[in-house]
Amino acid sequence: MSESDDEPEPEPEPMSESESESDDEPEPEPEPMSESDDEPEPEPEPMSESDDEPEPEPEAQPYIYQPAHTFEDVSGILAPSGNAGYQLWVDKYKPTNTRELVGNNTLIATLRMWLSNWEGVNLRGQQPQAPPGSRKNPKDLSKKAVLLSGPPGIGKTSSAHILAKECNFEIVEMNASDTRNKSDSNISSPQRSPTPHQVKIRMMEICRKEGLTVNDATMEALAKGANADLRSILGQLQMVRLSRTTLSYDDVKGSQACDKDSDLSPFECARKLLEPASSSMSIQDRLNLAMVDDIVPLLIQENYLNHRPVIAGTEEQRMRAVAKSAEAISAGDVINTSVRRYMNWSLMPAFNTLACLGPGAYMRGGRDA
């Protein structure tokens, strides 16, 4: 036996911890295949024969009138915009106290005395006293109510509101058609129009604040042409200021036509607005005709359908003009509601523009036989 046969076999080396842990870890199982992998991709749909055919031409549709503005659009005119730059001068410079009222100073003083002593005279039996310089009989100042009258735009409503406020009375407005007993309960107090000089002083002050240059002669001519209507004058001045900063005497020559227009009857004014010759008149001249009397818009509404408009060559065009006129009249009624119900007299030019000038522009022409 050899020596090599007697040598013992070498012992195996121990395994390291890292090797033992790796051997004990199980092999990761393969992820299962999802069902979507087995689904075949959808085949594209075959193109139908109708796709190659041309689309048929749309049939001609009858004309349907679409109004340019809805009542909701027009009603936005009635609410204040909140932008002082677009505030009407009639509202911006509305008098807030008796010192800002133009003209009728003696009458204002008499009304103040009558209203201040009203409770003492009518509730406690005191004797009325007339203010110094007043021609009123003290017995007249014992009446319970007073009736203010006079041309439009001279400050009747403003005087009543301001005096009531300064004498601590609450203002309650009632419809003018309410019954009243003039013989034994009212004082008749006619208010005169302010003189052109009085109007000029107030208007020149406003023009200086607004950056509008006007000389004295021009302002007096404007006051005479508008019959001292302060609302009308303020509206004209604001329209001028929108486009320029000066007003010349030649610019207000056309306003002298107001004196002639005031002598026309409302029927004649409505006829002139619907005549073909009205196209040669300026907007201000037409507006003067519309404001001669409150019945002029009603006469326009009554007669505009009886005219053949010169702008319409076919019956379809005539119906479009009729629709436009009816839309303008309806929008004017919305504004007129605010004028009459809430005393927003500054909207009168806008109302007359829609109710008279609009239908006149569309429907002016000869009358139907």
Side-chain angles (χ1 to χ4, degrees):
M1 181 180 296
S2 61
E3 296 178 358
S4 62
D5 296 335
D6 297 334
E7 293 179 358
E9 296 181 358
E11 296 180 359
E13 296 180 359
M15 296 177 62
S16 63
E17 294 181 1
S18 60
E19 291 178 356
S20 63
E21 291 177 359
S22 61
D23 293 341
D24 296 337
E25 292 179 358
E27 296 182 0
E29 297 181 0
E31 297 180 358
M33 184 177 296
S34 62
E35 296 179 359
S36 60
D37 297 337
D38 297 337
E39 294 179 358
E41 297 182 358
E43 297 181 0
E45 297 180 0
M47 183 178 295
S48 61
E49 297 179 359
S50 61
D51 295 338
D52 297 335
E53 297 178 358
E55 297 181 357
E57 295 182 359
E59 297 181 359
Q61 299 293 331
Y63 171 77
I64 301 177
Y65 170 71
Q66 297 292 339
H69 302 282
T70 62
F71 291 143
E72 288 75 10
D73 299 331
V74 179
S75 62
I77 302 175
L78 309 182
S81 62
N83 190 337
Y86 292 95
Q87 186 179 8
L88 292 174
W89 288 9
V90 174
D91 298 327
K92 185 176 181 180
Y93 294 103
K94 185 177 182 179
T96 57
N97 54 67
T98 52
R99 294 187 302 273
E100 296 180 356
L101 294 172
V102 180
N104 296 290
N105 297 330
T106 303
L107 181 58
I108 296 298
T110 302
L111 289 173
R112 180 191 292 277
M113 179 68 71
W114 169 79
L115 193 58
S116 300
N117 298 330
W118 191 90
E119 291 186 1
V121 172
N122 293 281
L123 300 182
R124 291 187 288 271
Q126 299 176 0
Q127 293 297 322
Q129 294 181 355
S134 175
R135 298 180 181 178
K136 286 290 182 183
N137 189 336
K139 294 182 179 179
D140 293 339
L141 298 179
S142 62
K143 299 292 185 178
K144 296 180 180 180
V146 62
L147 176 63
L148 302 180
S149 61
I154 64 172
K156 299 185 297 296
T157 303
S158 298
S159 300
H161 279 248
I162 291 173
L163 287 172
K165 182 179 179 181
E166 292 182 353
C167 294
N168 298 320
F169 281 87
E170 182 180 356
I171 300 173
V172 178
E173 296 186 7
M174 302 181 67
N175 194 293
S177 61
D178 294 335
T179 59
R180 36 173 97 88
N181 189 343
K182 299 179 183 179
S183 60
D184 58 3
S185 64
N186 287 354
I187 306 172
S188 178
S189 297
Q191 288 187 285
R192 298 181 178 88
S193 298
T195 64
H197 179 71
Q198 292 173 324
V199 174
K200 180 196 69 175
I201 295 175
R202 178 59 176 163
M203 294 299 107
M204 292 291 286
E205 178 185 352
I206 294 175
C207 288
R208 282 193 294 269
K209 292 180 180 179
E210 296 293 340
L212 181 61
T213 303
V214 187
N215 59 40
D216 292 350
T218 300
M219 186 60 71
E220 288 195 11
L222 182 61
K224 291 178 181 178
N227 293 326
D229 187 338
L230 301 178
R231 288 195 298 260
S232 176
I233 295 172
L234 282 174
Q236 294 182 55
L237 292 175
Q238 186 173 14
M239 290 293 292
V240 172
R241 185 61 184 89
L242 290 175
S243 58
R244 56 187 187 273
T245 58
T246 59
L247 179 64
S248 66
Y249 184 80
D250 294 336
D251 294 332
V252 300
K253 279 185 176 180
S255 64
Q256 301 297 332
C258 293
D259 296 333
K260 295 183 296 182
D261 294 339
S262 61
D263 297 333
L264 297 175
S265 69
F267 301 95
E268 187 69 14
C269 293
R271 185 185 63 80
K272 283 180 171 290
L273 288 172
L274 290 171
E275 283 183 346
S278 64
S279 60
S280 60
M281 300 171 60
S282 66
I283 293 179
Q284 185 59 52
D285 290 341
R286 281 179 275 175
L287 194 58
N288 292 335
L289 290 173
M291 299 183 70
V292 164
D293 196 287
D294 289 343
I295 200 176
V296 174
L298 299 177
L299 294 174
I300 294 290
Q301 181 178 354
E302 184 72 19
N303 292 278
Y304 79 99
L305 291 175
N306 299 327
H307 287 256
R308 303 290 301 183
V310 295
I311 62 173
T314 63
E315 188 63 25
E316 180 180 355
Q317 292 175 347
R318 181 176 184 271
M319 293 305 298
R320 292 187 183 186
V322 169
K324 289 286 188 180
S325 301
E327 180 190 353
I329 292 173
S330 299
D333 286 342
V334 176
I335 297 180
N336 192 37
T337 299
S338 179
V339 172
R340 306 296 177 179
R341 183 179 298 174
Y342 305 110
M343 309 298 288
N344 291 331
W345 297 107
S346 60
L347 296 176
M348 281 298 291
F351 161 67
N352 283 287
T353 300
L354 289 170
C356 297
L357 273 62
Y362 286 114
M363 299 299 296
R364 57 174 171 246
R367 288 184 65 90
D368 280 335

